[in-house]
Amino acid sequence: MTPSRVLTGMVSLITALALAGAAVAGDLGTLVVNLTTGGFGDRETAINALAASGEPRAAPILEALGAGRLYVRPADKAVVIGKAQGNQLDLTDALTGKPAGTASEDALQRVRINNRLRGVIDDAVGSLTLLSPDPRMRRSAADSLFKQRSPSALPAVEHALAAEKDAGIKRAFAEARASIILASNDASKAQKLEAISVIRGRGDRDAMGFLQAAASSSDADIKAAATAAAGSLNQTLAVWEAAQNVWYGISLGSVLLLAAIGLAITFGTMGVINMAHGEMVMLGAYTTFVVQQVILAYAPGLFDASIVIALPLAFLVAGVIGVLIERSVIRFLYGRPLDTLLATWGLSLVLQQAVRTIFGPTNREVRAPSWMSGSFLVGQIDVTYGRLWIVVFALLVFAVLILVLRKTPLGLHMRAVTQNRPMAAAMGIRTPRVDALTFGLGSGIAGLAGVALSQIDNVSPNLGQGYIIDSFMVVVFGGVGNLFGTLLGATALGIANKFLEPYAGAVLGKILVLVFIILFIQRRPRGMFALKGRAVE
Amino acid sequence: MITRFLWQGVDRKLRWFIALVLAAGIVPVLLNLFTPPGSALHVPAWALQLVGKYLCYAALALAVDLVWGYCGILTLGHAAFFALGGYCMGMYLMRQIGSRGVYGNPILPDFMVFLNYKELPWFWRGFDHFWFAAPMIVIVPSVLALALGWFAFRSRVTGVYLSIITQAMTFALMLAFFRNDTGLGGNNGMTDFKDILGFPVQADGTRAALYLASALMLALFLLIAGAIVGSRFGKALTAVRDAESRMRFLGYRVEGYKLFVFVLSAAMAGIAGALYVPQVGIINPSEFAPGNSIEAVLWVAVGGRGTLIGPVIGAVLVNWAKTYLTGALPEVWLFALGGLFIAVTLFLPRGVVGLWAQLKAGRERSRRVAPA
Amino acid sequence: MSAPRSTSALLYLSGVTVSFDGFKALNNLSLLVEPGEMRAIIGPNGAGKTTMMDVVTGKTRPDEGEVVFDGQADLTRLDEADIATLGIGRKFQKPTVFENHTVRDNLLLALAGQRSWYRLLTAAPTRAENDRLEEILAVIRMRPQQHMSAARLSHGQKQWLEIGMLLAQDPKLLLVDEPVAGMTDVETETTAQVLREINKSHSVVVVEHDMSFVRALGVKVTVLHEGSMLAEGTLDQVSADPRVVEVYLGR
Ligand SMILES: Nc1ncnc2c1ncn2[C@@H]1O[C@H](COP(=O)(O)OP(=O)(O)OP(=O)(O)O)[C@@H](O)[C@H]1O
Ligand SMILES: [Mg+2]
């Protein structure tokens, strides 16, 4: 939709508003039927009448008409919108928006239009959006006008500006108007200077581009004002960009935290590196997959809750397998950490292959529930709901874990064993039981991590492999036996990764971080926040 | 002096084993060259190539055992040294292709032409000469091992920390070698080799020679490792493995011992990798995969850590099983491999060689008890 | 602390403080050991006796204070291997011998002399070294077991082997931590004898809880308590000290 068409659309809309009172009064059904009958001239009137009706269904119907997807079904004379689905068309009722079965194209009558009508439709749709009852439509119309800066759209924008009640959208229209004025040739200098300050106020990358363009203006005053505005905006933007990177870093950090925290527990308490830890994460992700499949098959209404339902199950699956591993393999290897490392590596191969045999080698799709899709802006920071929930979830798991360690008998025993195993044993703590439960807890948390990771990573048998080195790095970097260190380590590494990426690229950034940690471990083998004392010997 | 050094620590059993390795190197080559293809005694070239590969793995296992079995450093990154040696050889072989590549560029290897390189990156210089590439095969892995070991041992990084550092090292290298910008062939690596030292790599004679070279290398490594392990240095080394801090309090600079063995072992791995590449005809970044290094450790564990014969036997056994299983029952192989890791650590901590010794001791004991 | 840096004492500790997470294992400890002296150190569990040895041998770095050996070497700047090379030998509270080595190899490893890895690659034991090994095997009465692996020795034999290793190391100063723990009375008596013998040519610091053993040594005694020196003198003198009775002997 071009701005000039918006303009003509506006004009015809206003005329239509004034003249076609009767048509407005007509119900949607009549308006739509009018679209499909009569000659092209009648249809033009019908289009404008529909646009002027203010009906929410008007926009999709007009769009379908413009795209040649509006049909009449001869059987019942219903007007339907068709969407190609293989050889067939998936139909929706034009009036209600409800599904209306399928049909082959031959069985339907397409509502025909010509090029002239196409233009009329585009304009009508454009003006519909500027004055649409839906605030989101108005906002996006304002934004696209801001970017297009076509002078002919100015009257329409000003009209919409005057009519707008919502302060935020009003501002968006004001910005669109300023952007058009700044680009136009016949605005006055004062208008342009004012426009510069409005655009500066918007403060995003598009604004930056326009200000930079204006900075090459031949007028000295405008040039100076635009240059100054661009300069100050540049700084703001740099701050936003850094903030965005911090957010990405925190988001990555939360993933690292989720993956590492279980390892931190098992490694901190038992000095055991569980190389199959990543596979626990993978099992958690597959549990989510299975839960979602079952829900889709038997209770599709619960779909949005599938992730939440998967959480306890993933914890259980991974936790129970963890306890089994501890009881059947690891307990025979205490005091031989290097052998444990090898045996658990073997376990990881077995688990991977088992999953590959059951679920196949290809990626499985775990879909995002509606409350985890989409994104929003905080200032200039783009935040997706999925990532946000993962950060929240990671912090939640962390907090619960700290509580468990501080407030429950298991936690007390675990800490006792961490600090001095022989002493704890001598005091009557059943260290084998503590070990098994600790291992189960660590594995269970890895399972929880798997639920979260199923939302952002490919659910495949190799899912876990990528996380074991990273997790270990986080644990060591933060300091063994220190969960807050793990939290800080994960965040720091996440942010470092994301800050390096723009300069070095993702892979090189990762390599740099690895090299950094390798050097770091050699300087401080016990991590940032090392426990001192006998425990470390 | 060197011969005395080499013989002083090599015991009878090891001498026999070295002789065996030499025989296994020479006899099949003779059978390959001097019997007609139809004959029952004829050893086909593909068999030489397959076993030659095992011999390179055996040398890698021996290198791993030297640091793990005798010095207690569980390295999970030795495949990196192996691959670096392999890459040095690969670079030499690439340059030997000359203008016979698909693009016919006399200087640039095919992948560089494909990636729009204008000239040879600086680190490729010299690799068209064998006299340059050969020392690089030893130097590149050694220098990396020296740098890593120097930092790690001086700051007393031990145990699982060291293991994971070595794994992170090979992981980082893998990522780096996967990049096209690294200038080493990206994820395709290097292949389509034509000549080595002027002989066509695919020719039967060349294959036989490479096989023989692999056996000689293994024998030499066994000799060197045996001499080291049997010397006073070797006694100190195992003492470091068993009680590092006690050695410090006796006045030993433990770092020096570890570093020497680590660098030597990396060099051995590099040479093994260099002989491996012309036999399999390709080198690519997946050789750096962390799993490869861990598998090499498994060979040692299966054969028997802390013995010199064990790793050789383990490497050949496991790889023979791998060749068989991945061909016959591919989906079983990872179960078998994983199970092997668990079984060996749980039930066979001293490996096949240890089991053998145990059985023999048991038989002797029962023989001694029986007449009484 | 402006204590003199050069001193005639063989071992000089002044104002040494070590803390672990705020807990002071050693608190402003000062101690002098003269050349040729044998000193017994006693004190309750956790008094800091082992920590003191850790500081002297470079295992633990003091937070504060001076540790000087032989009038010039600043031990706080050296690592374990340097300190051992200077001539300080140590026997641990828990016997640590090289279990996978034979008795003879244990002694050979401890034998004063070559320590550098490149020399040991080619060096075979010299005649003199072999003679010295025989001598030590005779002193610790383990010649019959010399080719036995150390793992198969009894606890007492391991203690002896460790003493043999100390002899082989031939240090100027020996630090001996609880040498008679777990020994029979007869063994204790012999150990005291051996230590007195050793003391003829070496300085010795012994930590021990066994009072009859300390009495048998018959040397100057230092009492440690909560990381500092509580009393010093002959065993009779310190036993008479009410503070010592209070914190240690009386219990
Ligand atoms: N590495 C360490 N970390 C934390 N605390 C330590 C450490 N080493 C020693 N300590 C503490 O310092 C104190 C002194 O310990 P030390 O071993 O020196 O006592 P000791 O006098 O040798 O006792 P014992 O007679 O039982 O051998 C003890 O409370 C001990 O717990
Ligand atoms: Mg003590």
Side-chain angles (χ1 to χ4, degrees), chain C residues 18-93:
Chain C
V18 172
S19 53
F20 296 109
D21 292 332
F23 168 77
K24 288 193 171 164
L26 290 183
N27 189 3
N28 200 11
L29 174 71
S30 299
L31 183 78
L32 279 178
V33 179
E34 296 299 332
E37 186 186 350
M38 167 136 71
R39 173 74 58 91
I41 296 189
I42 61 175
N45 292 118
K49 306 179 295 290
T50 303
T51 306
M52 185 271 292
M53 292 196 168
D54 288 347
V55 167
V56 173
T57 52
K59 181 169 180 233
T60 302
R61 294 249 174 267
D63 302 330
E64 268 173 52
E66 279 183 284
V67 186
V68 181
F69 180 66
D70 219 1
Q72 72 248 326
D74 178 359
L75 298 187
T76 59
R77 285 162 195 272
L78 301 176
D79 70 3
E80 298 98 319
D82 286 330
I83 292 173
T85 316
L86 279 176
I88 298 184
R90 174 166 186 189
K91 192 196 108 30
F92 287 83
Q93 192 161 349

Side-chain angles (χ1 to χ4, degrees), chain B residues 336-347:
Chain B
L337 186 65
L340 199 55
F341 269 106
I342 302 166
V344 166
T345 41
L346 283 184
F347 307 118

Side-chain angles (χ1 to χ4, degrees), chain A residues 486-530:
Chain A
T486 309
L487 175 68
L488 279 181
T491 319
L493 290 185
I495 293 179
N497 242 318
K498 287 300 168 186
F499 268 89
L500 281 175
E501 258 174 33
Y503 306 106
V507 175
L508 206 56
K510 192 164 172 60
I511 296 174
L512 287 178
V513 170
L514 274 182
V515 170
F516 164 76
I517 298 180
I518 291 177
L519 293 177
F520 177 85
I521 293 181
Q522 312 197 330
R523 284 230 73 95
R524 300 200 52 171
R526 305 294 172 197
M528 281 194 296
F529 307 97

